[in-house]
């Protein structure tokens, strides 16, 4: 599969085989992007049985490129946490076809996205995926020099001679961009898939996330695709995560991602042509010790592919791919009632049990604290095909939240 491309000079001719021309996406994030396909299938017996090796096929119009934190530096250059940039990738691997070795070590969500996209478009649109990830890296590690300087999002450590970002595992600022993403500046892209924010879950960092992320994507649109400066951004919603159950002995991986999930969900209200791939209903195993890295990558990839296929006009409709989108919120004078109006409701809003009551709503106690404590009663009901009315015994002046529990 693919074409032959010949490049002629006055001295020689260079020939490349199996060349595809299609849409290229960057899949960017921390450990949930680094979580590779082989590990995913090993952990998820259901998806291994249903899909698994059947998804690996070198004849598919898919190409994979791997450039992640695992690659390290090229003889210590560029220095981590500085303004130095890497003009090219440091390894010798090029674009790879979807064979057993390349797929198994590739990002599970990245490959599931590509595979589903090809199925939905019947292979008419070849897709390339560039994996960029760093385990545990906060947003500040991904910001380019210009954005970090403008936002003053990191601090200079004189003793170490590096910029340090905010967030969990805050070691090197700017490094993920300067080393792994900078080589792709001016590269033509159809869009970005983003699955990150776990290391920005704390209140102080979550409060800055949307502004910084939006500035980052705006910068990328000005540098990474001059022919399509408004390429789409697809953000993965964090699935449900469960606290350690009573009687469990062992290591339980947990972060309270409720606030950052809420924050990430508001990105489309700030950043144009951006979409959230809903994931909260894809994971419900409260016995799994590692639900910080949930095994629902196929479902997430499928929903991302639906969005991308609809946005590019390749397959499906945007309404069916996005689900309901909040259009406006109208509060009563005492802020104890709010009517939420949605677009993209299809035949009308509904719940999984067919009833009118909608579970999962709470409110903000202040600007960045979700009210997950008992004591205030809150009720939400579908009151029109495109509306939900939320009533609360306390004031919801600071905002109402859906799916804000960890």
């Amino acid at each position: 599969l693919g074409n032959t491309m010949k490049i002629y000079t006055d001295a020689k001719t260079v020939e490349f085989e199996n060349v595809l021309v299609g849409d290229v996406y960057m899949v960017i994030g921390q450990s949930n992007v680094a979580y590779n396909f082989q590990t995913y299938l090993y952990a998820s017996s259901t998806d291994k049985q249903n899909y698994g090796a059947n998804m690996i096929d070198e004849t598919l119009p898919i190409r994979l490129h791997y450039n992640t934190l695992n690659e390290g530096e090229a003889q210590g250059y560029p220095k981590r946490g500085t303004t130095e940039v890497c003009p090219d990738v440091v390894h010798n691997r090029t674009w790879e076809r979807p064979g057993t070795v390349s797929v198994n070590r590739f990002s599970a969500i990245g490959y599931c996205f590509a595979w589903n996209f090809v199925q939905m478009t019947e292979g008419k649109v070849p897709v390339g995926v560039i994996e960029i990830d760093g385990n545990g890296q906060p947003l500040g590690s991904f910001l380019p020099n210009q954005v970090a300087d403008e936002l003053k999002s990191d601090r200079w450590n004189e003793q170490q001679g590096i910029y340090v970002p905010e967030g969990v595992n805050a070691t090197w600022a700017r490094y993920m961009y300067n080393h792994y993403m900078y080589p792709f500046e001016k590269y033509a892209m159809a869009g970005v898939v983003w699955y990150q924010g776990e290391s920005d879950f704390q209140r102080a960092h979550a409060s800055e996330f949307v502004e910084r992320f939006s500035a980052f994507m705006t910068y990328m649109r000005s540098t990474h695709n001059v022919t399509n400066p408004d390429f789409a951004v697809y953000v993965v919603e964090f699935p449900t995560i469960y606290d350690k159950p009573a009687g469990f002995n062992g290591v339980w991986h947990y972060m309270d991602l409720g606030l950052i999930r809420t924050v990430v969900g508001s990105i489309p209200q700030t950043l144009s042509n951006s979409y959230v791939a809903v994931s909260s209903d894809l994971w419900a195993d409260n016995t799994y010790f590692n639900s910080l890295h949930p095994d629902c990558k196929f479902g997430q990839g499928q929903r991302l592919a639906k969005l991308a296929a609809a946005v590019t006009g390749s397959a499906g409709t945007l309404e069916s791919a996005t689900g309901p989108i909040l259009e406006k919120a109208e509060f009563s004078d005492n802020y104890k009632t709010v009517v939420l109006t949605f677009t993209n409701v299809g035949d009308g809003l509904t719940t999984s049990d067919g009833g009118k009551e909608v579970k999962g709503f709470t409110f903000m106690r202040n600007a960045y604290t979700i009210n997950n404590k008992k004591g205030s009663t809150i009720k939400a009901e579908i009151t029109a095909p495109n509306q939900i009315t939320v009533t609360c015994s306390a004031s919801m002046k600071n905002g109402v939240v859906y799916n804000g529990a960890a």
Side-chain angles (χ1 to χ4, degrees):
L1 179 70
N3 303 295
T4 299
M5 181 174 71
K6 294 182 180 181
I7 300 176
Y8 300 91
T9 72
D10 56 355
K12 64 178 180 178
T13 300
V14 180
E15 188 171 300
F16 297 92
E17 299 290 345
N18 297 309
V19 176
L20 299 178
V21 178
D23 291 346
V24 175
Y25 295 84
M26 273 191 184
V27 179
I28 310 169
Q30 48 185 108
S31 55
N32 270 302
V33 172
Y35 196 97
N36 66 42
F37 190 76
Q38 185 176 40
T39 303
Y40 168 55
L41 290 185
Y42 178 79
S44 179
S45 59
T46 302
D47 283 351
K48 183 176 182 179
Q49 180 180 354
N50 293 340
Y51 307 104
N54 296 327
M55 294 174 63
I56 301 176
D57 182 353
E58 285 198 355
T59 68
L60 291 173
I62 295 173
R63 295 293 183 267
L64 307 173
H65 198 294
Y66 180 87
N67 195 36
T68 80
L69 189 64
N70 296 328
E71 297 298 334
E73 299 98 65
Q75 298 180 344
Y77 178 81
K79 183 180 178 182
R80 299 186 179 197
T82 70
T83 59
E84 292 179 343
V85 296
C86 192
D88 204 351
V89 293
V90 299
H91 57 73
N92 295 321
R93 291 198 306 275
T94 57
W95 286 99
E96 298 175 318
R97 287 182 285 181
T100 301
V101 174
S102 60
V103 170
N104 278 337
R105 72 183 176 191
F106 201 74
S107 165
I109 193 169
Y111 187 69
C112 288
F113 162 71
W115 186 86
N116 276 289
F117 186 88
V118 166
Q119 306 306 308
M120 293 172 189
T121 60
E122 299 179 342
K124 296 176 182 177
V125 183
V127 60
V129 178
I130 302 171
E131 176 187 349
I132 307 278
D133 53 60
N135 288 346
Q137 298 302 303
L139 178 60
S141 295
F142 292 87
L143 298 182
N145 294 322
Q146 180 178 321
V147 176
D149 287 340
E150 290 176 354
L151 296 177
K152 297 179 174 56
S153 59
D154 49 33
R155 60 181 177 83
W156 177 254
N157 185 306
E158 190 68 39
Q159 184 176 4
Q160 294 181 286
I162 62 173
Y163 287 99
V164 180
E166 298 176 346
V168 179
N169 299 316
T171 307
W172 316 289
R174 314 180 184 208
Y175 181 65
M176 291 304 301
Y177 187 91
N178 287 350
H179 192 153
Y180 302 107
M181 299 179 68
Y182 182 85
F184 296 99
E185 281 204 347
K186 308 302 182 185
Y187 203 94
M189 294 193 305
V192 163
V193 171
W194 184 268
Y195 191 166
Q196 188 277 337
E198 300 95 324
S199 289
D200 299 270
F201 80 101
Q202 295 164 321
R203 175 183 173 184
H205 312 132
S207 65
E208 306 286 349
F209 193 91
V210 174
E211 177 190 8
R212 293 176 178 179
F213 180 77
S214 297
F216 178 24
M217 290 297 108
T218 299
Y219 174 84
M220 284 191 64
R221 284 171 171 170
S222 72
T223 59
H224 283 69
N225 195 342
V226 294
T227 61
N228 180 23
D230 191 34
F231 60 76
V233 177
Y234 308 102
V235 183
V236 180
E237 178 191 44
F238 296 117
T240 306
I241 184 169
Y242 297 94
D243 204 351
K244 182 168 66 174
F248 178 87
N249 294 315
V251 178
W252 188 270
H253 296 263
Y254 176 82
M255 286 182 176
D256 186 346
L257 300 182
L259 176 58
I260 192 64
R261 183 190 297 112
T262 297
V263 167
V264 165
S266 68
I267 287 174
Q269 299 173 33
T270 301
L271 181 67
S272 65
N273 201 24
S274 64
Y275 308 88
V276 173
V278 176
S279 295
S280 57
D281 61 321
L282 293 176
W283 183 247
D285 186 352
N286 62 2
T287 66
Y288 184 47
F289 78 101
N290 195 19
S291 61
L292 182 59
H293 304 99
D295 295 317
C296 55
K297 300 297 189 287
F298 184 88
Q300 291 173 321
Q302 189 176 53
R303 291 184 178 180
L304 287 164
K306 273 187 168 183
L307 285 168
V311 168
T312 58
S314 303
T317 65
L318 189 56
E319 183 171 78
S320 63
T322 62
I325 296 176
L326 181 65
E327 180 181 30
K328 61 181 178 179
E330 299 172 287
F331 287 88
S332 62
D333 292 340
N334 62 3
Y335 290 96
K336 292 187 177 183
T337 300
V338 58
V339 178
L340 307 174
T341 303
F342 297 84
T343 59
N344 284 27
V345 298
D347 294 331
L349 296 171
T350 185
T351 63
S352 58
D353 61 7
K356 294 293 185 182
E357 183 177 356
V358 182
K359 299 177 181 178
F361 275 94
T362 184
F363 62 97
M364 303 297 292
R365 287 193 288 119
N366 50 49
Y368 281 97
T369 304
I370 296 175
N371 186 70
N372 285 330
K373 298 180 179 179
K374 296 180 179 179
S376 300
T377 59
I378 190 167
K379 185 176 182 180
E381 287 187 321
I382 299 173
T383 50
N386 65 336
Q387 290 183 334
I388 293 175
T389 299
V390 183
T391 57
C392 186
S393 61
S395 170
M396 297 181 286
K397 188 174 183 178
N398 290 309
V400 65
V401 176
Y402 178 73
N403 196 27

